[in-house]
Amino acid sequence: MSETSGSTGRTPETHVIDFRAAEQLLAARDPRGAVKLLDTVIAAHPENTAARLLRARAFFAAAQLRPAELEFSVVLEREPDNAFAHFALARTYERQNRPDQAKRHFRLAAALDPNPRFLKAARFDS
């Protein structure tokens, strides 16, 4: 990999800083700002699953549900055992009023990780 990415002169270190800043923006309830930073990180490192997961969370927080769904799906293609990604995708489906798809991913999340929040959402008793 070259020292810089593209013509912007951005270095791998700059992308790490952008990723960390995006985490802070998301925590500060600025998901659109986080998405903007993550777009540059992902353009330079499309294989970076952590950046994609953070961008998916930012899309979800910004109520951009279709982009969130697509990004969570990319994460799950790469990490099918990522319980949080299943849970978050299920929440995305839930907000899109797609209960059957939501239920499937809630249950996958709970099966992969017995986190009480995942188990409650899975509603195995129904």
Side-chain angles (χ1 to χ4, degrees):
M1 186 183 307
S2 67
E3 283 292 315
T4 61
S5 297
S7 61
T8 63
R10 300 187 68 74
T11 65
E13 293 79 14
T14 306
H15 293 134
V16 171
I17 292 166
D18 286 347
F19 179 86
R20 297 295 178 213
E23 288 178 318
Q24 294 300 315
L25 287 171
L26 188 56
R29 300 181 191 265
D30 181 3
R32 291 179 195 276
V35 167
K36 284 181 187 174
L37 285 176
L38 292 165
D39 285 346
T40 61
V41 174
I42 292 168
H45 305 283
E47 75 291 347
N48 187 320
T49 305
R52 288 188 174 275
L53 185 58
L54 187 61
R55 186 166 68 171
R57 291 176 48 218
F59 280 136
F60 182 85
Q64 295 180 23
L65 301 179
R66 183 66 180 142
E69 174 189 344
L70 294 172
E71 205 67 75
F72 285 128
S73 295
V74 168
V75 170
L76 287 170
E77 284 174 16
R78 297 174 182 184
E79 296 180 2
D81 60 344
N82 187 320
F84 176 79
H86 280 289
F87 178 78
L89 180 58
R91 294 280 315 266
T92 304
Y93 285 141
E94 190 175 60
R95 285 180 68 184
Q96 292 174 324
N97 197 26
R98 295 162 66 186
D100 291 341
Q101 289 166 295
K103 185 176 184 179
R104 176 177 181 267
H105 285 278
F106 278 136
R107 289 185 172 187
L108 284 166
L112 290 164
D113 180 354
N115 175 315
R117 194 170 74 161
F118 298 171
L119 289 168
K120 181 179 180 188
R123 299 185 297 270
F124 284 115
D125 53 352
S126 59

